[in-house]
Amino acid sequence: MTRCRARAVALLAFVGALAAMSGAVACTPALTGEGVRVMRSATHAVAWRPAPLSIPLAAHFAVELAVCATDGRLTLETVAVDADMPAHRHGMNYRPSVADLGGGRFRADGLMFHMPGDWRLIVDLRAGGKSERLTDTIVVE
């Protein structure tokens, strides 16, 4: 075995050992294409995309979501979506509804950013009796 190949084999073994120790597997949410962003935590990944892609000011829009679990088992109990403006200490004037589309896919309808600035998209997951919050910042002009 060449020295270069031996190093490659050792590196692959090391990466495999790290993955086994963490218990994590590749988690790629089933949502791709233009405008998709991904939020990650130790236990989940959430891909999301606004509809329309350009979030309008003071008009309703939706968010498409895809969720996957790092342990490979998706056992979601609930998914909730909200948004707020941390700098202003307030949220939206509307409460979105979330529809389960199956296969880890969801759609949240009824979001509205009523003023320009930095908003935070909030996705609350409940799985295995534990709650988790993932967030992403959105700048609305």
Side-chain angles (χ1 to χ4, degrees):
M1 186 179 312
T2 67
R3 184 163 47 182
C4 188
R5 185 172 175 192
R7 285 183 182 162
V9 169
L11 179 61
L12 286 173
F14 176 72
V15 169
L18 283 178
M21 286 177 3
S22 70
V25 297
C27 177
T28 305
L31 185 63
T32 59
E34 186 180 356
V36 173
R37 293 170 57 168
V38 179
M39 300 179 269
R40 294 189 183 277
S41 72
T43 57
H44 290 90
V46 176
W48 69 276
R49 166 179 48 215
L53 288 177
S54 179
I55 296 173
L57 178 61
H60 283 101
F61 68 97
V63 172
E64 301 172 61
L65 303 153
V67 182
C68 66
T70 56
D71 68 1
R73 295 175 290 160
L74 188 61
T75 57
L76 289 174
E77 297 160 18
T78 60
V79 174
V81 175
D82 202 353
D84 67 6
M85 292 188 86
H88 291 242
R89 298 183 182 179
H90 67 72
M92 296 185 298
N93 293 330
Y94 297 90
R95 184 162 310 281
S97 61
V98 178
D100 186 343
L101 305 177
R105 301 283 303 261
F106 300 86
R107 182 177 171 97
D109 286 293
L111 291 98
M112 182 191 292
F113 295 160
H114 58 276
M115 62 187 298
D118 291 351
W119 286 85
R120 182 175 63 160
L121 180 69
I122 302 165
V123 177
D124 288 320
L125 305 175
R126 182 141 180 93
K130 296 180 182 176
S131 296
E132 180 173 26
R133 174 168 281 186
L134 290 89
T135 64
D136 199 355
T137 300
I138 305 162
V139 178
V140 177
E141 298 177 356

